[in-house]
Amino acid sequence: MIRERLREMGLDRPLLTPAQAAAVLEVGRPTVERLIREGRVRTVRVGRKVYITAASLERLVEGGVPAAQAAWLALRLMERAGLRVELFTDPKGGFRASAGGKEALGVSPEEALLALAEALAKEEEHEGPQDHGRRA
C-alpha cells in the first residue's frame, strides 16, 4: 500500500524526509515528528538531516511486527516445541533454515526462519489435534 502510494507520488525511494513522510501519510509534520519521538518509525541521520525509512512507514500502516522480532519469536517457539533449528548460508545464495524434517529458503536469515515456521505451521494444521500425542 505505501509502496504504491510512493510510486504514485514519485517518491519510490528507501529514505524520505519528514515532510515527504507527512505527505504520504496525509498527516501534518508534527504528527510525523511525534512518531519519530515515540520510536514508531525508523530514522536514519545523514549529517544534520533526518530521514525516515519507507519500510518503517509500511510497518506502521500495516501494523506489522519487524521481521527480526518475528523471526526471533518464531525461533524461540520452535525451540520450545523441541525442534532443533539449523540456519546456514545456501551455496546458491541466501539462507537455509531446517527443523523437524522441513527446510525453507530466504534471502535473509529472518526470511528463512519465518518461511520455516510457516512450513511447520502448515504441517501442523494438516495433521490436526489428534496427532499431537505422538510427537512428544
Side-chain angles (χ1 to χ4, degrees), residues 99-116:
K102 293 281 184 190
E103 284 193 345
L105 295 172
V107 295
S108 68
E110 293 89 358
E111 191 176 294
L113 285 169
L114 291 172
L116 176 62

Side-chain angles (χ1 to χ4, degrees), residues 1 5 62 81 125 128 135:
M1 175 180 161
R5 183 143 171 81
E62 294 172 7
E125 286 174 8
R135 289 186 127 198

Side-chain angles (χ1 to χ4, degrees), residues 48-107:
R48 291 181 177 220
K49 297 217 177 227
V50 173
Y51 296 93
I52 298 165
T53 66
S56 70
L57 289 182
E58 283 181 324
R59 279 193 301 275
L60 175 73
V61 170
E62 294 172 7
V65 174
Q69 183 180 0
W72 183 84
L73 291 170
L75 177 62
R76 298 294 301 144
L77 288 170
M78 287 185 277
E79 289 174 343
R80 282 188 172 198
L83 296 172
R84 181 169 179 251
V85 180
E86 295 180 334
L87 179 67
F88 46 95
T89 55
D90 189 65
K92 297 176 185 170
F95 295 84
R96 180 180 303 271
S98 66
K102 293 281 184 190
E103 284 193 345
L105 295 172
V107 295

